[in-house]
Amino acid sequence: MSANAGSMRILIKGGKVVNDDFTHEADVYIENGIIQQVGKELMIPGGAKVIDATGKLVLPGGIDTSVHLQQTFMNATIQEDFYSGTKAALMGGTTMVMALVLPEQHCSLVDAFEKCKELADAKTCCDYSLHMGVTWWGPKVRNEMEALAREHGVNSFQMYMAYKDMMMLRDSELYQTLQTCKDIGAIARVHAENGELVAEGSREALELGITGPEGIEISRPEELESEATHRAITIANRARCPIYLVNVSSTSAGDMIAAAKMQGKVVHAETTVAHAVLSGMQYYHQDWVHAAAHVLVPPLRIEPNTPGYLMGLLGNDTLSVVASEHRPFNVKQRALGKEDFTKIPHGVAGVQDRMSVIWERGVVTGKMDENRFVAVTSSNAAKIYNLYPRKGRIIPGADADVVVWDPDATRTISVSSQVQGGDFNLYEGLRCHGVPLVTISRGRLVCENGVFMCAEGSGKYYPQRIFPDYLYKKMVQREKTQVYKGVERDPYSGDVAKIAVTMKKELGLGPIDGETPKGARAHQGVRDLHESSFSLSGSQVDDHIPKRSSARILAPPGGRSSGIW
């Protein structure tokens, strides 16, 4: 099947083709892995497999912009390799995944990339690309970022403002990283949380005896995300670099992004399925296993209106993309933090359920239409990552990544029937409308009516081009019109004041003419009260009061404080 899959001829007949901007009734003819024709009454050669899509929708295959496969994180090995992960993606209607490479601090980015690509090439079932995490900073990192972008097809780098002492970059390092991204034309992905205060909040929670999963929500309040979001946007604006914020989890961070867009800043953002659907009350569940299974960062928010608000932001284009942030662990691995919530590995599963859950909670509820659904699950990602219109659109000449979608069929999500890794499903028992009936990847029929037909290792690495117009066209124009220039003026030729003695001492400039050299005692200008000859002599009014070595103050200025801040 897979040997001749690229040369298959497929005709999808009778469906409604849905792109991000319009829907129309049309047939789709596929040959040699490419969409050849889209329209009515097509003239096609014989021997094509006909798929009846009457009453169904024909969508561009999903693009999941954030998955974590076949790596170790927080002392635990992720319960997913590139085969099982991409198989689950295809079963759910996603035809391309973007995986994150996280090199160890002070290790080579290029070496980490090549090792990950070698693992992926042997196992993937669909097209994939790689983001590169920037976990430390220095001249070597700058050079390797350029090499990855120019020679290896990596056009996105992810920086962290959280994970202190693990991956967190200081503001100055983030600024330099963003400048490098701008220079090489890459997408700058930023995880925005105030890492310093997260560390302090975690320590304080543990000191109060809070060791359970609720500690993740208590120690990482949304104000730490909104503050870091504002700071990240400000730093990117100063670096003149487009910014792409990941894992947006709160209303205040969403409002910050909306305000920045209104100000004309080039800001894009993605949220995750979990953040757009689930509440942080899960962390207060009586069952530790249930609560710990929801641990991800930023955490789910306890405010009950947050998921609906984030789904609305996806619907109105404030948030551009919804990802799965797929990083599954099992109970035993999460139990590493049974006595300390900071040691619970951060990650949840979702690559298989992303499309159906967003259809159920986004389209069925009326927060978006089918065109916007295509935008947030496929087309916007293709535009941002410079894949469009080869990906994310059904037109002649595009890659044949196509899903036949039944909007009326339903399926009930369960961990017992999932293909993806992990032993817990966040959406257990959720009955979803919207089911992928047929999935076609690069012209290969890989999934039909729940039957998977794809060989391990048949997927391909998709090198990505730098300087995507969707992000950089506006920035290039601004560079032309907003260049900083000094004022041309005649040089000043008047007198210059001498530096004052006290100022010179503060600046560490040494002695000036007539000043006593360093080390000598000075008595100029101001009396040294420590060497005053003034003294009290004779009898004093309080001589009859016994002398005490100390005094206890019962009511200090400002009143007593006996509470915990």
Side-chain angles (χ1 to χ4, degrees), residues 110 113 140-154 157 180 184:
V110 173
F113 166 83
K140 181 181 179 182
V141 177
R142 180 186 290 107
N143 295 336
E144 289 198 309
M145 287 175 67
E146 185 168 356
L148 287 166
R150 307 289 183 195
E151 302 165 19
H152 298 282
V154 175
F157 297 88
T180 302
I184 63 179

mmCIF file of all heavy atoms in Angstrom, residues 110 113 140-154 157 180 184:
data_model
loop_
_atom_site.group_PDB
_atom_site.id
_atom_site.type_symbol
_atom_site.label_atom_id
_atom_site.label_comp_id
_atom_site.label_asym_id
_atom_site.label_seq_id
_atom_site.Cartn_x
_atom_site.Cartn_y
_atom_site.Cartn_z
ATOM 1 N N VAL A 110 22.520 22.064 17.055
ATOM 2 C CA VAL A 110 22.575 21.287 15.809
ATOM 3 C C VAL A 110 22.635 19.798 16.116
ATOM 4 O O VAL A 110 21.954 18.987 15.468
ATOM 5 C CB VAL A 110 23.773 21.728 14.950
ATOM 6 C CG1 VAL A 110 23.925 20.812 13.738
ATOM 7 C CG2 VAL A 110 23.604 23.171 14.494
ATOM 8 N N PHE A 113 19.220 18.644 17.171
ATOM 9 C CA PHE A 113 18.352 18.571 15.996
ATOM 10 C C PHE A 113 18.603 17.288 15.202
ATOM 11 O O PHE A 113 17.651 16.568 14.847
ATOM 12 C CB PHE A 113 18.567 19.793 15.104
ATOM 13 C CG PHE A 113 17.981 19.663 13.732
ATOM 14 C CD1 PHE A 113 16.635 19.923 13.510
ATOM 15 C CD2 PHE A 113 18.757 19.242 12.657
ATOM 16 C CE1 PHE A 113 16.081 19.780 12.242
ATOM 17 C CE2 PHE A 113 18.219 19.099 11.391
ATOM 18 C CZ PHE A 113 16.869 19.367 11.185
ATOM 19 N N LYS A 140 27.737 30.853 20.559
ATOM 20 C CA LYS A 140 27.582 29.561 19.879
ATOM 21 C C LYS A 140 26.119 29.317 19.514
ATOM 22 O O LYS A 140 25.810 28.820 18.425
ATOM 23 C CB LYS A 140 28.087 28.434 20.771
ATOM 24 C CG LYS A 140 27.983 27.052 20.119
ATOM 25 C CD LYS A 140 28.481 25.951 21.041
ATOM 26 C CE LYS A 140 28.334 24.596 20.365
ATOM 27 N NZ LYS A 140 28.757 23.478 21.246
ATOM 28 N N VAL A 141 25.201 29.682 20.421
ATOM 29 C CA VAL A 141 23.777 29.493 20.152
ATOM 30 C C VAL A 141 23.345 30.353 18.976
ATOM 31 O O VAL A 141 22.618 29.898 18.080
ATOM 32 C CB VAL A 141 22.936 29.832 21.405
ATOM 33 C CG1 VAL A 141 21.451 29.710 21.111
ATOM 34 C CG2 VAL A 141 23.317 28.922 22.565
ATOM 35 N N ARG A 142 23.823 31.602 18.952
ATOM 36 C CA ARG A 142 23.472 32.499 17.850
ATOM 37 C C ARG A 142 23.923 31.903 16.504
ATOM 38 O O ARG A 142 23.166 31.883 15.532
ATOM 39 C CB ARG A 142 24.124 33.861 18.060
ATOM 40 C CG ARG A 142 23.805 34.858 16.939
ATOM 41 C CD ARG A 142 24.568 36.155 17.085
ATOM 42 N NE ARG A 142 24.092 36.955 18.216
ATOM 43 C CZ ARG A 142 24.745 37.126 19.351
ATOM 44 N NH1 ARG A 142 25.917 36.530 19.541
ATOM 45 N NH2 ARG A 142 24.244 37.870 20.313
ATOM 46 N N ASN A 143 25.132 31.394 16.459
ATOM 47 C CA ASN A 143 25.656 30.824 15.219
ATOM 48 C C ASN A 143 24.886 29.572 14.809
ATOM 49 O O ASN A 143 24.616 29.356 13.616
ATOM 50 C CB ASN A 143 27.142 30.494 15.385
ATOM 51 C CG ASN A 143 27.997 31.746 15.589
ATOM 52 O OD1 ASN A 143 27.607 32.833 15.180
ATOM 53 N ND2 ASN A 143 29.137 31.585 16.229
ATOM 54 N N GLU A 144 24.508 28.749 15.810
ATOM 55 C CA GLU A 144 23.795 27.519 15.476
ATOM 56 C C GLU A 144 22.349 27.801 15.066
ATOM 57 O O GLU A 144 21.799 27.077 14.226
ATOM 58 C CB GLU A 144 23.835 26.564 16.667
ATOM 59 C CG GLU A 144 25.222 25.977 16.899
ATOM 60 C CD GLU A 144 25.178 24.732 17.777
ATOM 61 O OE1 GLU A 144 24.575 24.782 18.854
ATOM 62 O OE2 GLU A 144 25.751 23.716 17.348
ATOM 63 N N MET A 145 21.747 28.834 15.621
ATOM 64 C CA MET A 145 20.412 29.217 15.162
ATOM 65 C C MET A 145 20.446 29.586 13.685
ATOM 66 O O MET A 145 19.570 29.183 12.908
ATOM 67 C CB MET A 145 19.892 30.395 15.986
ATOM 68 C CG MET A 145 19.472 30.050 17.399
ATOM 69 S SD MET A 145 19.003 31.510 18.385
ATOM 70 C CE MET A 145 17.496 32.042 17.550
ATOM 71 N N GLU A 146 21.455 30.328 13.300
ATOM 72 C CA GLU A 146 21.576 30.714 11.888
ATOM 73 C C GLU A 146 21.825 29.494 11.010
ATOM 74 O O GLU A 146 21.236 29.368 9.935
ATOM 75 C CB GLU A 146 22.709 31.730 11.727
ATOM 76 C CG GLU A 146 22.817 32.267 10.310
ATOM 77 C CD GLU A 146 23.739 33.471 10.209
ATOM 78 O OE1 GLU A 146 24.237 33.945 11.242
ATOM 79 O OE2 GLU A 146 23.951 33.938 9.066
ATOM 80 N N ALA A 147 22.663 28.576 11.474
ATOM 81 C CA ALA A 147 22.934 27.365 10.699
ATOM 82 C C ALA A 147 21.681 26.509 10.546
ATOM 83 O O ALA A 147 21.402 25.976 9.461
ATOM 84 C CB ALA A 147 24.049 26.564 11.370
ATOM 85 N N LEU A 148 20.901 26.377 11.604
ATOM 86 C CA LEU A 148 19.663 25.595 11.535
ATOM 87 C C LEU A 148 18.669 26.208 10.562
ATOM 88 O O LEU A 148 17.996 25.497 9.813
ATOM 89 C CB LEU A 148 19.041 25.490 12.930
ATOM 90 C CG LEU A 148 19.753 24.554 13.915
ATOM 91 C CD1 LEU A 148 19.251 24.793 15.334
ATOM 92 C CD2 LEU A 148 19.544 23.101 13.528
ATOM 93 N N ALA A 149 18.580 27.535 10.568
ATOM 94 C CA ALA A 149 17.633 28.217 9.682
ATOM 95 C C ALA A 149 18.077 28.141 8.219
ATOM 96 O O ALA A 149 17.255 27.924 7.323
ATOM 97 C CB ALA A 149 17.477 29.669 10.109
ATOM 98 N N ARG A 150 19.366 28.322 7.980
ATOM 99 C CA ARG A 150 19.866 28.376 6.600
ATOM 100 C C ARG A 150 20.046 26.998 5.978
ATOM 101 O O ARG A 150 19.838 26.823 4.777
ATOM 102 C CB ARG A 150 21.217 29.102 6.559
ATOM 103 C CG ARG A 150 21.246 30.477 7.214
ATOM 104 C CD ARG A 150 20.492 31.519 6.432
ATOM 105 N NE ARG A 150 20.617 32.831 7.055
ATOM 106 C CZ ARG A 150 19.857 33.864 6.775
ATOM 107 N NH1 ARG A 150 18.900 33.756 5.880
ATOM 108 N NH2 ARG A 150 20.029 35.028 7.392
ATOM 109 N N GLU A 151 20.441 26.011 6.791
ATOM 110 C CA GLU A 151 20.882 24.733 6.229
ATOM 111 C C GLU A 151 19.991 23.545 6.574
ATOM 112 O O GLU A 151 20.052 22.517 5.902
ATOM 113 C CB GLU A 151 22.311 24.435 6.711
ATOM 114 C CG GLU A 151 23.320 25.518 6.349
ATOM 115 C CD GLU A 151 24.632 25.390 7.127
ATOM 116 O OE1 GLU A 151 24.879 24.283 7.664
ATOM 117 O OE2 GLU A 151 25.383 26.373 7.211
ATOM 118 N N HIS A 152 19.171 23.652 7.615
ATOM 119 C CA HIS A 152 18.427 22.478 8.086
ATOM 120 C C HIS A 152 16.913 22.653 8.056
ATOM 121 O O HIS A 152 16.192 21.759 8.505
ATOM 122 C CB HIS A 152 18.873 22.122 9.499
ATOM 123 C CG HIS A 152 20.324 21.739 9.600
ATOM 124 N ND1 HIS A 152 20.808 20.499 9.229
ATOM 125 C CD2 HIS A 152 21.410 22.446 10.004
ATOM 126 C CE1 HIS A 152 22.112 20.451 9.425
ATOM 127 N NE2 HIS A 152 22.504 21.627 9.896
ATOM 128 N N GLY A 153 16.414 23.759 7.552
ATOM 129 C CA GLY A 153 14.978 23.924 7.417
ATOM 130 C C GLY A 153 14.228 24.172 8.706
ATOM 131 O O GLY A 153 13.032 23.891 8.806
ATOM 132 N N VAL A 154 14.913 24.726 9.725
ATOM 133 C CA VAL A 154 14.257 25.082 10.985
ATOM 134 C C VAL A 154 13.954 26.578 10.940
ATOM 135 O O VAL A 154 14.869 27.395 10.839
ATOM 136 C CB VAL A 154 15.143 24.760 12.203
ATOM 137 C CG1 VAL A 154 14.483 25.258 13.494
ATOM 138 C CG2 VAL A 154 15.412 23.265 12.282
ATOM 139 N N PHE A 157 11.963 29.001 16.703
ATOM 140 C CA PHE A 157 12.731 28.761 17.922
ATOM 141 C C PHE A 157 11.858 29.133 19.111
ATOM 142 O O PHE A 157 11.133 30.131 19.076
ATOM 143 C CB PHE A 157 14.014 29.596 17.918
ATOM 144 C CG PHE A 157 14.954 29.222 16.804
ATOM 145 C CD1 PHE A 157 14.852 29.824 15.552
ATOM 146 C CD2 PHE A 157 15.932 28.260 16.991
ATOM 147 C CE1 PHE A 157 15.697 29.483 14.512
ATOM 148 C CE2 PHE A 157 16.781 27.903 15.957
ATOM 149 C CZ PHE A 157 16.679 28.505 14.718
ATOM 150 N N THR A 180 18.164 37.934 17.040
ATOM 151 C CA THR A 180 18.705 36.909 16.145
ATOM 152 C C THR A 180 17.600 36.317 15.280
ATOM 153 O O THR A 180 17.793 36.107 14.069
ATOM 154 C CB THR A 180 19.389 35.802 16.965
ATOM 155 O OG1 THR A 180 20.421 36.382 17.771
ATOM 156 C CG2 THR A 180 20.001 34.748 16.059
ATOM 157 N N ILE A 184 17.559 36.391 11.097
ATOM 158 C CA ILE A 184 17.562 35.202 10.244
ATOM 159 C C ILE A 184 16.171 34.885 9.688
ATOM 160 O O ILE A 184 16.013 33.937 8.918
ATOM 161 C CB ILE A 184 18.106 33.966 10.997
ATOM 162 C CG1 ILE A 184 17.204 33.600 12.185
ATOM 163 C CG2 ILE A 184 19.537 34.209 11.460
ATOM 164 C CD1 ILE A 184 17.681 32.367 12.956
#
